[in-house]
Amino acid sequence: MAEFLVLGAGMVGVSSALALQARGHQVTIVDRTGAGLETSYGNAGMIQVEAAEPYALPRDMATLFKYALEISNDVTWKMNGALQMAPALWSYFCNSSPEKHAKISRVHSQLTFRSTADHEPLIRDSESEHLITHCGLVMLHRDEREFQKASKKAEFLMKEYGVTSDIFDGKSYQEKEPALKKTPAGAVHYTQSWSCSSPGGLTKAYCDLFVKRGGRFVTGDASTLQHTVSGWQILTSDGELKVEQVVVALGPWSPELLRRFGYQIPMVYKRGYHGHFNAPKTLQRPFLDVANGVLAAPMVKGLRVTTGAALVPLNSAIDTSQLKRGAIALNEIIDLGEQVEEPQWMGTRPCMPDMLPLVGDAPNHKGLWFHFGHGHQGFTLGPTTSELLIQAIEGECNELLEALAPINRL
Ligand SMILES: Cc1cc2nc3c(=O)[nH]c(=O)nc-3n(C[C@H](O)[C@H](O)[C@H](O)COP(=O)(O)OP(=O)(O)OC[C@H]3O[C@@H](n4cnc5c(N)ncnc54)[C@H](O)[C@@H]3O)c2cc1C
């Protein structure tokens, strides 16, 4: 059995460590802070079976025009972000053609479909059942035409990928969700997805399980990683560590590290924000306010409102305008109550231009494994792609691994 270093203690890194440990490997996780304190902390907490199709870039002129002028709140952008990401965005645009997107979705849907089953044993063994609700995710529509389109889409997702849903007209859904103060046009309730009331808490609980099972967690900076003749070494709070194998699971920070080893990873950075609100009425289940591009989900800290995507450079300054716009519009349909005072969280979805995570060995270095780029669904997919990473490490070969392999995509 080999000694592994896993860089990054988000959902993807911690799940990788647990999967390696289950195969008898000796594993150390290194993170510069603690477990589940970055992107895996502040997301919307959905384990998304319904996300069979990853987010494509729209290609119709009307929507592109809307995004360009920031008329819609679900996508905003800054010129420096768009310019910096231009090659990755172009590739994302090309991969969003209906034919390519359909092919990519056939891969993505195989991952999302098994996501709850892959989380289940970890939720049980980490005693985190209290954080999970099996309540599905609702797409709430304010516009009748959009609702009709969404209903057709739901039928398609059922036929194509086995994604189950219930369709409600506005009145019937309002009866199911008393927190709604206005009648929407309608709602599509995707029933297989789960909701977590503390995504950071769940990631931390998985990490605690890993440590309880004999794994080691240390703090350290991944940028001190060195490739040596005998393997890899890194500086940590416990001193210098030498290992044979390294898994890079640094989410949006992965390209930064890998540039030092000669890899140019094209990544689209989609920034998001959240705020918590003391809403007087608890939601029955999370919903996406589709017209407004924000998701509302009950969480330990209050009702969490998460925003869509801001295309900005990874380290750009905080700009809460998308969150503010979203909260004002959301307040039209539910009482949000007072916003909870807290330091402003922001996080970045690490999106690959072909909308699939990179899982497999590094093209030019022995003992280096890539496991990042999970985009909008890293919280959902951490345990699932970790099982695939193990298959790759064990030398298995199958269609799914081929589709996710760095060597075929970089
Ligand atoms: C607003 C928003 C909402 C979202 N909602 C959902 C959702 O509902 N469902 C879903 O499935 N996904 C969702 N996502 C996506 C999901 O959060 C991410 O895909 C996922 O968290 C990525 O996990 P990760 O482990 O790859 O990265 P991270 O959680 O970011 O972990 C990376 C780790 O690397 C560490 N690190 C970075 N640099 C260094 C360094 N130099 N040295 C040491 N350590 C370092 C960080 O401290 C961090 O702990 C959402 C994302 C956003 C932004």
Side-chain angles (χ1 to χ4, degrees), residues 113-393:
F113 197 71
R114 53 178 277 195
S115 58
T116 46
D118 288 331
H119 269 279
E120 192 161 29
L122 301 179
I123 292 168
R124 185 194 58 227
D125 294 352
S126 64
E127 297 177 14
S128 304
E129 288 95 341
H130 61 290
L131 298 177
I132 304 295
T133 319
H134 299 185
C135 55
L137 172 64
V138 169
M139 306 293 167
L140 198 79
H141 290 272
R142 300 182 185 214
D143 180 87
E144 184 58 37
R145 261 207 354 228
E146 291 302 319
F147 170 54
Q148 293 307 333
K149 271 203 267 178
S151 306
K152 288 212 171 72
K153 182 79 191 185
E155 279 169 28
F156 170 81
L157 291 177
M158 174 64 205
K159 210 168 87 212
E160 200 72 7
Y161 311 112
V163 173
T164 59
S165 57
D166 295 324
I167 315 275
F168 295 91
D169 61 54
K171 273 225 149 43
S172 328
Y173 192 67
Q174 200 174 14
E175 276 163 25
K176 265 180 86 79
E177 182 52 271
L180 283 177
K181 54 186 187 187
K182 254 188 175 172
T183 312
V188 179
H189 178 197
Y190 288 107
T191 51
Q192 293 150 306
S193 303
W194 293 355
S195 171
C196 173
S197 62
S198 172
L202 187 69
T203 310
K204 168 83 168 60
Y206 285 5
C207 189
D208 291 346
L209 175 67
F210 161 76
V211 172
K212 198 167 121 193
R213 288 175 172 172
R216 186 151 69 126
F217 175 91
V218 292
T219 51
D221 187 344
S223 68
T224 63
L225 183 74
Q226 301 286 339
H227 192 206
T228 66
V229 263
S230 54
W232 300 88
Q233 67 184 46
I234 190 168
L235 283 177
T236 73
S237 53
D238 273 13
E240 195 171 78
L241 281 184
K242 291 187 174 159
V243 293
E244 297 155 46
Q245 315 263 356
V246 176
V247 176
V248 178
L250 296 168
W253 295 277
S254 305
E256 204 172 282
L257 173 77
L258 292 170
R259 210 170 296 130
R260 275 194 33 233
F261 297 97
Y263 297 99
Q264 299 298 328
I265 313 284
M267 190 175 268
V268 176
Y269 298 105
K270 294 191 189 173
R271 169 84 60 87
Y273 296 89
H274 77 216
H276 293 100
F277 293 81
N278 287 318
K281 286 189 182 163
T282 308
L283 287 185
Q284 302 300 303
R285 58 196 70 76
F287 73 82
L288 178 72
D289 178 7
V290 177
N292 178 30
V294 288
L295 197 146
M299 294 256 169
V300 168
K301 282 183 149 188
L303 184 71
R304 181 178 286 184
V305 177
T306 42
T307 62
L311 297 170
V312 295
L314 185 59
N315 298 318
S316 65
I318 288 178
D319 170 3
T320 54
S321 48
Q322 208 175 2
L323 180 60
K324 284 188 184 134
R325 267 211 281 181
I328 290 170
L330 201 56
N331 227 351
E332 294 165 5
I333 51 172
I334 54 170
D335 269 333
L336 273 187
E338 288 293 308
Q339 185 164 2
V340 175
E341 274 191 38
E342 59 187 337
Q344 180 60 58
W345 176 85
M346 64 175 187
T348 298
R349 300 170 181 92
C351 302
M352 298 307 295
D354 61 4
M355 294 162 264
L356 294 170
L358 280 168
V359 187
D361 53 340
N364 306 320
H365 291 80
K366 195 166 172 284
L368 184 64
W369 300 89
F370 291 181
H371 193 197
F372 57 85
H374 293 67
H376 290 251
Q377 271 88 39
F379 185 67
T380 300
L381 296 179
T384 299
T385 55
S386 294
E387 288 305 318
L388 293 165
L389 177 72
I390 298 294
Q391 291 178 10
I393 288 170

